[in-house]
Amino acid sequence: MSAELMTVLAAVIAAFASLFTVVLTRNGAISLDARKFDQTQRAEADKSLRLALAEVGAEMSQDVQRVVLFAWNAKHDPGGPTSIDIAEYEKASSAALSRLFRAQVLLAANDRATYDIIAPLIRSFHETDDCVTKALITLKRDRQQGIAAVAACHAQGIVLYDSMPEAFANGPGPGNSPVRRSIHCP
């Protein structure tokens, strides 16, 4: 083989090696960009879920506190709730249920599995709120029976009140709870 042919062959091999290196580097950069994009997307989705879950927790904690406090007052105040107390409770309850429903929908839209884990707690709240609402209907017909019925709802509310911190402590973040695992956290 002639020296010129060897030089051309070496140049062709060098060109292919250079081209191969460029292609590999480009593919590596594209792959790295894709991984970074995926990580960013997951981080944003996790953040959105955490915010939605926090909103449900915040709404529920206010609502449960309102129900428990109203029932406690009915249980311990000899005069029972006045018509003004009842009207204020009903107005606050209506607004609170709308906000809680909005928060529920946001959570379900973010992650159905997390919503399914929290849903029994939400149902428990609605059952407690229904207990008070039905007791208020009774109270309008028979004051003594109604006050006793509202006071009986207090125990149900306390069970919910006591279980909420633990349920939301098992929310998104480091750890191994079902809620945490549902949003792909380590």
Side-chain angles (χ1 to χ4, degrees):
M1 260 196 228
S2 73
E4 293 172 352
L5 184 60
M6 290 298 281
T7 303
V8 169
L9 190 57
V12 168
I13 291 172
F16 276 120
S18 177
L19 182 61
F20 183 70
T21 302
V22 168
V23 168
L24 282 181
T25 302
R26 184 177 156 269
N27 285 343
I30 289 172
S31 177
L32 179 61
D33 285 346
R35 283 194 308 271
K36 284 182 181 178
F37 179 77
D38 287 345
Q39 287 174 341
T40 301
Q41 292 295 89
R42 276 196 305 274
E44 286 298 316
D46 289 352
K47 179 181 176 184
S48 179
L49 178 56
R50 283 185 180 96
L51 290 173
L53 186 60
E55 187 170 346
V56 169
E59 291 298 336
M60 277 195 65
S61 64
Q62 289 176 347
D63 297 347
V64 168
Q65 178 65 28
R66 176 183 42 78
V67 169
V68 168
L69 184 59
F70 185 82
W72 185 89
N73 284 334
K75 183 176 181 179
H76 295 287
D77 183 358
T82 66
S83 58
I84 293 171
D85 295 333
I86 293 168
E88 287 175 358
Y89 176 84
E90 289 173 339
K91 182 179 177 182
S93 181
S94 177
L97 291 174
S98 295
R99 288 190 309 271
L100 178 59
F101 182 67
R102 177 187 168 277
Q104 285 176 252
V105 170
L106 286 174
L107 179 60
N110 270 280
D111 188 75
R112 178 62 189 250
T114 302
Y115 173 77
D116 288 344
I117 292 167
I118 297 298
L121 192 64
I122 295 169
R123 277 191 294 281
S124 180
F125 165 72
H126 286 297
E127 290 167 2
T128 304
D129 186 61
D130 285 348
C131 177
V132 173
T133 301
K134 289 174 184 173
L136 290 177
I137 291 168
T138 302
L139 187 133
K140 290 174 184 177
R141 287 192 317 256
D142 182 328
R143 183 149 180 83
Q144 285 309 109
Q145 261 188 337
I147 290 172
V150 172
C153 298
H154 183 255
Q156 185 176 343
I158 287 296
V159 170
L160 178 60
Y161 183 90
D162 289 343
S163 67
M164 281 188 58
E166 179 66 25
F168 282 92
N170 289 332
N176 198 27
S177 76
V179 173
R180 289 180 183 141
R181 285 193 308 268
S182 76
I183 63 161
H184 319 292
C185 289

